[in-house]
Amino acid sequence: MATATLWDTAVGVGHLAWCSRQLGSLLGVWARDDGTPELARMFGTMSNHHAEWAAACTARLPTVSHSDGTSWTPERFVAAPNIADEALLTSSAGATGADARRRVAERLPLLVRDRARQQRKLVDGVLDEPTTDLLDTLIAGVETHLLMLRRGQDGLHG
C-alpha cells in the first residue's frame, strides 16, 4: 500500500476542502431559494455540513516552507482538483426544480466521497490519525446525506 507524502496529503485534502466549500455554497443558495420546504431544509443542513468539512479540511493543511524562503500557506492548497470537477460544479449551479436539484445533490457529493476514499487509502492511519479521522467523518457524512436525500424523495413522492 502506497503512503502519501505530506505534500500529496495536503494537495488531496486541499481538493476536498475546495469541493466541500463549493458544494456548501451551492447547497446554501438552493436552501435559500428552493420552494419545497423539506428540500430547502435538507439543502441547508447539507450546506452547513459541507462548510464545516471544508473548514476542518483547511485546518488540517500545513504551511510548507521551501528552501528558497517561499512558503505555501494552508489556503494555497485549497484549489479545484481538476477542470472537469470545476466545470461540473459550475454547470450544476443552474439546476432548477426539485428533481434536478436532488439529482445534482446526489451526484456531486459522490465526487467528494470518492476523492475522500481515494485519499483515505493513501494516508497512513497510524502516522496521520487526525487526517484519517477527518476523511472517515467526511465519507460517513456524505453517506448520511445520500440517505437523507433518498428518504426525502420517498417522503415527497411516496
Side-chain angles (χ1 to χ4, degrees):
M1 175 164 115
T3 302
T5 64
L6 171 68
W7 188 266
D8 295 335
T9 300
V11 168
V13 172
H15 290 168
L16 287 167
W18 181 87
C19 289
S20 281
R21 187 181 288 173
Q22 300 306 311
L23 269 173
S25 178
L26 175 66
L27 293 166
V29 168
W30 288 355
R32 183 193 67 219
D33 294 344
D34 201 273
T36 310
E38 297 85 5
L39 201 53
R41 275 193 300 280
M42 202 177 324
F43 288 154
T45 298
M46 292 170 69
S47 171
N48 289 337
H49 289 163
H50 277 286
E52 290 168 6
W53 297 331
C57 285
T58 303
R60 283 294 313 139
L61 297 172
T63 296
V64 177
S65 298
H66 298 284
S67 59
D68 65 1
T70 62
S71 64
W72 274 57
T73 61
E75 199 57 43
R76 281 194 71 186
F77 286 101
V78 179
N82 58 49
I83 299 289
D85 285 358
E86 190 171 5
L88 182 58
L89 274 160
T90 303
S91 66
S92 297
T96 58
D99 288 337
R101 288 181 172 180
R102 183 184 304 281
R103 282 191 301 276
V104 169
E106 289 174 348
R107 186 177 68 234
L108 292 179
L110 292 175
L111 293 174
V112 174
R113 185 201 62 193
D114 292 348
R115 281 193 175 282
R117 283 181 176 169
Q118 290 170 349
Q119 190 67 35
R120 178 65 177 86
K121 290 178 185 176
L122 300 175
V123 175
D124 187 315
V126 174
L127 297 176
D128 195 356
E129 187 177 356
T131 300
T132 58
D133 288 348
L134 171 64
L135 295 170
D136 289 343
T137 298
L138 206 155
I139 292 164
V142 169
E143 292 293 337
T144 300
H145 287 180
L146 294 172
L147 286 172
M148 286 171 49
L149 284 162
R150 287 183 198 121
R151 286 184 188 137
Q153 185 171 2
D154 293 341
L156 290 173
H157 300 294

